[in-house]
Amino acid sequence: MNKKNRIKISVVGILMTTVSIFAAPETYLLFENSDFEKGTLENWSSEGNAFKLQPTKGDNPTERGRSDGSKNQGAYWIGTFEAYTGKSGQAGDVQGDVPTGRLSSKEFTISHNFINFIVGAGSHLETSVRLLVDGKTYLLASGPSSETMHQISADVRAFNGKKGKLVILDNVKGGWGHINADNFTGSNDPLARTSKPLETKRADLKKPGQGGAGKRKKLPLTGPEQSTKITLTKKFLLFPIKNGAPRPWVSLSLEGKDVRYFETAELASSADDISWWAFEDVSEFKGKQVILTVGGVSEAGFKLIKQSDSVPGEEKWGEEALRPQFHFSQKVGWNNDPNGMVYYDGEWHLYLQHNPVGWNWGNMTWAHGVTKDLVHWQQLPNALHHKEKDAMFSGGGAVDWKNTGGWKTGENDVVFITWTSTGRGECIAYSNDKGRSFTEYEGNPVIKHKGRDPKPLWYSYADNENPLSDEAAELGGHWVLAIYDEDKEYGRGIAIYTSTNLKEWELQSKLPGYYECAEIFSLPVDGDKEKVRWVIFAADARYAVGSFDGKVFKPGHEGQHQLHSGPFYASQLFSDAPGGRRIQIGWVRIALDGMSFNQTFTFPTELSLRTTDEGIRMFGEPVGEIEKIHGEKHSAENKSLSDNQAFDLVTSGALFDIRATFEVGNAKRIGLNVDGKPAFTYDVESGKHNKQDLKPVDGKISVQLLIDRPMMETFVNKGQMVITAAYENDLNIESVQAFAQGGEAKLISLEVYELEASWK
């Protein structure tokens, strides 16, 4: 039922002030310099080497080219990867993941209900913030494996009135072996989602842990190795998971061969410990007798593993406070890179790096999501399964329309995927059932080198091009594999391999300066099919525009450009998209605390190349299919804005597609507030938004905001700038306000669409 738009105009006179109904909790420094704003470590003491060049000044991760900036509060913060204090070194300097150490605060009295802080970087047990009370050590939080710090409110009411010390710990070397932390305050009400202090052991600085993608220091197992025979009669084998528990290996073997194997399963040791239930679809083995073995769990925990045709808690999937409602997310467990993205026969396939039996990274498996309209998703059974000492790392997918691999057995065209097997090399598998199941090529690996993340592409010849071979000439093109590669001469970069049969590959060229998850594709400039350019990028979304002859990519400019920013990483495009559409999905690196799932993905974004004053640039906008979930619309046009006059639309809901166009006028700043919180601000004087250069187009700035439960995506000037961010959504957004400061501007149009949840 349509309702009338509810509109109100806020007029702020000289004698009037605007008061928020929902005031933020008052916060207090725990002690002098608990926010590091003195630019020193006054009232803190350090051990080891990690904190010698601290505190860090400014957003150093952004200065050194990271897309996930620190989001530090104030000028100074702790970042043990960094080496810029404002007094020594220069912005962008780093000391890396090798130094370790401990930073301890002065003793203070715990006099508030909550200790608040922001934390980022490593998700290890020993890259964390801790609290010492009564001679015991309590874990408050680790990072989210992203440089961006997120807000934590630790519930310390049990310690009220006691003396305590804060500890910022970096006792891990290697990947994500550092810690970011800032702004320690006290409050009587939480600023964010709360965490409960968890008693843990004091770290031994003489025995640092070894980092890596999600690796953590091993906890002692809760029992011995145990094994049992099971006749499978149900669809699922269920595993009880406790977040942060010791991680034994799990094997499910059939006729002496592992059919499922997990290196690190976070198994609960008792029914009282269960955080959520993991499930493994074993319906393909129904009626078979298998042997289940767990390498170290309590007897009670082992007995909790069971068969079922349903998953405990599944009735609440989609209702969770942080469940993305119109972005894909796996039902349970961890995700990172999107993989194997391909369109075939009316379906868009999104495979993904997935840990089925843990909230953190591990046990890399290819999960599988599918959609027919890019907004309503269905999760299918996993496509590639983790093996002992062999994880299924990232890769791509495509349709073998010409059956060059010779694997077609029926009416369906072959869908194939490429991935990095950590135990073998670059591998390939093929499907004759529309991507539901895959058969490994018996000649795997097809490439062995130091690198990963193979992405396939069919390169078609123009009339005047020289074919790769006689066979390629008959086919009218050849296969290209773009792979992240490392060697002594080129360093990190993208290697280009070619093939005509998907089995035998030849190295053609290398392009240095790129890291992980290579992507290469063509696009017409300004929609002109006679003016085509090629684009290449890697995991951090830095890209180049140039030419490609099927063997060598030649950039058409110096350096690299950037479209995306925020906790955005390892994106991929759908292969074989109809109409030549280039549709991208990226991994959103935000921790979803307290959920049975962790991390998520961007909304599908359609890419284009456009001519700008600075040259040809890539743009990204949400796919038009978002209109399929548009609900009630609130709108307004031609509203004057000034210091004394803002404009508000009254709204209701938690999910929104907000679109606004401003005429800048002579204002110094313009923007949008959502539910009283800043959502978009353009600084006209500096010509920047989010510390990035931005110019009005014909005197106008446009912005589109997609707001979901845990996140917000911002698209500026029709996709000239794309920003992904975590979002504190109270699930009851009541207003969208347009404002101008320091002069006058005009709100040309404001459209606010309530969105319908599409997750279920």
Side-chain angles (χ1 to χ4, degrees):
M1 182 175 67
N2 291 327
K3 301 176 184 177
K4 293 183 179 179
N5 292 332
R6 296 163 289 174
I7 300 174
K8 67 178 181 180
I9 297 178
S10 299
V11 180
V12 185
I14 296 175
L15 299 179
M16 300 176 66
T17 58
T18 302
V19 180
S20 171
I21 297 175
F22 303 101
E26 287 190 82
T27 60
Y28 308 87
L29 290 180
L30 298 174
F31 49 85
E32 190 175 10
N33 201 37
S34 67
D35 59 357
F36 305 104
E37 286 307 301
K38 286 197 170 188
T40 69
L41 293 182
E42 181 179 329
N43 290 328
W44 298 82
S45 59
S46 67
E47 303 170 66
N49 298 316
F51 298 92
K52 286 186 175 180
L53 295 174
Q54 298 297 314
T56 296
K57 184 176 183 180
D59 186 3
N60 213 50
T62 297
E63 292 291 338
R64 57 184 168 88
R66 295 283 304 194
S67 59
D68 51 340
S70 63
K71 297 295 178 69
N72 53 293
Q73 297 181 8
Y76 295 94
W77 55 288
I78 296 298
T80 58
F81 193 89
E82 321 302 334
Y84 176 59
T85 66
K87 299 173 184 176
S88 62
Q90 59 185 6
D93 285 354
V94 301
Q95 63 179 355
D97 279 330
V98 174
T100 58
R102 179 190 290 115
L103 185 67
S104 303
S105 77
K106 64 173 288 186
E107 191 173 66
F108 62 96
T109 300
I110 300 172
S111 56
H112 299 94
N113 295 336
F114 297 91
I115 291 178
N116 310 294
F117 55 94
I118 55 177
V119 63
S123 61
H124 314 291
L125 181 65
E126 293 196 354
T127 52
S128 55
V129 175
R130 299 172 170 215
L131 180 67
L132 306 183
V133 181
D134 291 339
K136 296 181 179 180
T137 300
Y138 295 89
L139 175 69
L140 300 186
S142 296
S145 291
S146 169
E147 301 296 355
T148 303
M149 291 181 277
H150 65 285
Q151 186 74 57
I152 295 291
S153 290
D155 188 339
V156 293
R157 284 175 288 189
F159 307 132
N160 212 290
K162 294 187 175 183
K163 298 287 186 180
K165 285 186 177 183
L166 290 168
V167 172
I168 304 173
L169 179 66
D170 178 355
N171 198 36
V172 176
K173 295 183 177 183
W176 287 112
H178 61 282
I179 180 75
N180 298 343
D182 193 13
N183 204 40
F184 290 86
T185 64
S187 65
N188 289 324
D189 294 299
L191 300 184
R193 299 183 294 275
T194 59
S195 68
K196 290 281 189 180
L198 177 67
E199 188 173 352
T200 188
K201 293 182 179 180
R202 177 180 170 86
D204 184 352
L205 294 185
K206 294 181 180 179
K207 297 179 180 180
Q210 182 63 41
K215 292 180 181 177
R216 295 172 291 160
K217 189 170 182 179
K218 289 186 177 180
L219 298 173
L221 300 177
T222 59
E225 179 179 316
Q226 299 187 59
S227 184
T228 188
K229 292 181 179 179
I230 304 173
T231 298
L232 295 176
T233 59
K234 305 289 186 180
K235 182 176 182 180
F236 300 119
L237 190 61
L238 303 180
F239 297 92
I241 303 297
K242 178 186 178 182
N243 292 338
R247 302 181 295 168
W249 56 266
V250 175
S251 165
L252 192 68
S253 63
L254 174 64
E255 298 175 354
K257 181 180 179 181
D258 286 338
V259 292
R260 296 290 186 271
Y261 187 92
F262 303 115
E263 298 278 0
T264 52
E266 296 185 5
L267 296 184
S269 58
S270 71
D272 294 336
D273 289 339
I274 299 173
S275 301
W276 50 276
W277 286 89
F279 64 93
E280 188 66 25
D281 189 328
V282 291
S283 54
E284 63 182 294
F285 310 118
K286 193 169 184 178
K288 303 286 183 65
Q289 188 179 75
V290 297
I291 298 176
L292 170 69
T293 307
V294 178
V297 69
S298 68
E299 183 177 350
F302 187 69
K303 288 180 178 179
L304 288 170
I305 301 172
K306 60 185 179 181
Q307 298 185 66
S308 177
D309 285 323
S310 60
V311 182
E314 66 181 7
E315 70 281 357
K316 294 184 178 179
W317 289 343
E319 299 175 4
E320 303 98 326
L322 298 180
R323 171 71 72 180
Q325 297 294 291
F326 59 94
H327 296 76
F328 178 83
S329 63
Q330 67 285 355
K331 293 173 180 176
V332 298
W334 161 278
N335 80 260
N336 49 285
D337 309 356
N339 290 161
M341 290 170 51
V342 62
Y343 176 88
Y344 178 66
D345 195 26
E347 294 180 323
W348 306 84
H349 295 267
L350 167 65
Y351 303 92
L352 54 134
Q353 292 283 280
H354 175 49
N355 183 358
V357 289
W359 191 81
N360 286 292
W361 184 95
N363 305 301
M364 285 294 95
T365 298
W366 276 36
H368 186 192
V370 66
T371 176
K372 293 185 176 182
D373 62 5
L374 293 173
V375 288
H376 297 89
W377 291 89
Q378 177 187 6
Q379 185 171 337
L380 300 180
N382 296 335
L384 292 178
H385 301 280
H386 183 276
K387 300 177 181 179
E388 185 175 5
K389 298 181 180 179
D390 191 0
M392 306 293 108
F393 271 22
S394 290
V399 181
D400 186 7
W401 297 103
K402 299 176 184 289
N403 194 27
T404 62
W407 296 313
K408 185 174 180 178
T409 59
E411 294 183 356
N412 296 322
D413 294 293
V414 169
V415 174
F416 72 92
I417 54 177
T418 56
W419 79 96
T420 299
S421 159
T422 59
R424 293 172 289 167
E426 312 304 349
C427 292
I428 191 165
Y430 54 91
S431 170
N432 280 288
D433 60 358
K434 300 183 180 182
R436 266 61 179 177
S437 63
F438 289 88
T439 301
E440 272 208 40
Y441 168 50
E442 65 276 9
N444 281 335
V446 294
I447 297 172
K448 295 192 74 172
H449 70 127
K450 187 177 181 181
R452 54 189 174 273
D453 313 331
K455 178 67 193 291
L457 162 77
W458 178 257
Y459 181 83
S460 297
Y461 299 138
D463 292 339
N464 59 347
E465 285 190 273
N466 293 321
L468 189 68
S469 63
D470 291 342
E471 186 177 5
E474 291 182 16
L475 293 169
H478 63 258
W479 289 106
V480 170
L481 208 55
I483 316 176
Y484 168 64
D485 182 83
E486 296 179 2
D487 72 18
K488 293 181 179 179
E489 180 180 356
Y490 290 92
R492 292 174 169 179
I494 295 174
I496 301 295
Y497 288 79
T498 57
S499 175
T500 56
N501 61 13
L502 295 173
K503 303 169 184 176
E504 299 162 317
W505 294 87
E506 181 181 0
L507 175 64
Q508 297 290 349
S509 63
K510 294 189 178 184
L511 180 67
Y514 293 85
Y515 181 64
E516 294 189 323
C517 302
E519 184 79 69
I520 184 169
F521 58 98
S522 62
L523 273 171
V525 180
D526 302 320
D528 184 353
K529 294 183 180 180
E530 301 300 317
K531 188 180 180 182
V532 174
R533 297 290 186 274
W534 285 81
V535 179
I536 197 165
F537 63 69
D540 65 358
R542 294 180 181 273
Y543 70 93
V545 180
S547 62
F548 182 57
D549 64 359
K551 295 182 287 187
V552 179
F553 178 87
K554 295 181 179 179
H557 53 84
E558 296 293 327
Q560 297 171 347
H561 305 314
Q562 186 92 38
L563 170 62
H564 297 273
S565 61
F568 174 98
Y569 197 73
S571 69
Q572 193 170 109
L573 272 61
F574 284 102
S575 299
D576 301 286
R581 298 174 75 185
R582 303 303 189 191
I583 297 176
Q584 176 188 49
I585 291 178
W587 167 26
V588 179
R589 300 193 295 185
I590 55 176
L592 300 176
D593 298 324
M595 301 293 104
S596 61
F597 55 94
N598 191 13
Q599 315 288 296
T600 186
F601 295 98
T602 61
F603 189 76
T605 300
E606 188 150 3
L607 301 179
S608 61
L609 287 179
R610 304 179 200 172
T611 303
T612 72
D613 292 341
E614 289 76 32
I616 298 173
R617 295 291 187 270
M618 190 164 67
F619 284 61
E621 296 184 86
V623 294
E625 283 86 344
I626 193 170
E627 295 180 3
K628 294 178 180 291
I629 55 171
H630 275 183
E632 184 176 350
K633 177 184 177 182
H634 312 272
S635 63
E637 295 180 344
N638 299 320
K639 301 297 179 181
S640 297
L641 304 174
S642 67
D643 285 315
N644 298 325
Q645 184 168 295
F647 177 78
D648 292 71
L649 275 179
V650 177
T651 61
S652 177
L655 316 174
F656 290 94
D657 178 359
I658 301 171
R659 309 179 186 195
T661 302
F662 296 85
E663 191 174 89
V664 173
N666 61 8
K668 293 182 179 180
R669 282 171 298 280
I670 58 170
L672 294 173
N673 294 325
V674 176
D675 220 24
K677 298 184 294 186
F680 171 77
T681 301
Y682 173 56
D683 190 309
V684 182
E685 285 189 310
S686 66
K688 291 183 182 294
H689 168 62
N690 197 43
K691 299 182 181 180
Q692 299 178 65
D693 293 334
L694 179 66
K695 293 180 181 179
V697 178
D698 298 326
K700 300 180 181 67
I701 291 288
S702 65
V703 62
Q704 181 176 6
L705 306 177
L706 299 185
I707 297 178
D708 206 336
R709 288 189 176 182
M711 61 185 291
M712 178 173 73
E713 292 167 284
T714 303
F715 303 83
V716 186
N717 280 355
K718 304 296 183 182
Q720 178 185 350
M721 178 186 297
V722 182
I723 304 164
T724 304
Y727 184 76
E728 297 287 340
N729 193 332
D730 66 4
L731 309 186
N732 183 28
I733 296 173
E734 297 180 318
S735 67
V736 177
Q737 181 188 74
F739 66 87
Q741 298 172 345
E744 296 182 349
K746 179 180 283 189
L747 176 64
I748 297 174
S749 65
L750 176 61
E751 297 177 337
V752 179
Y753 297 92
E754 297 178 14
L755 297 180
E756 299 168 356
S758 65
W759 193 86
K760 282 195 172 181

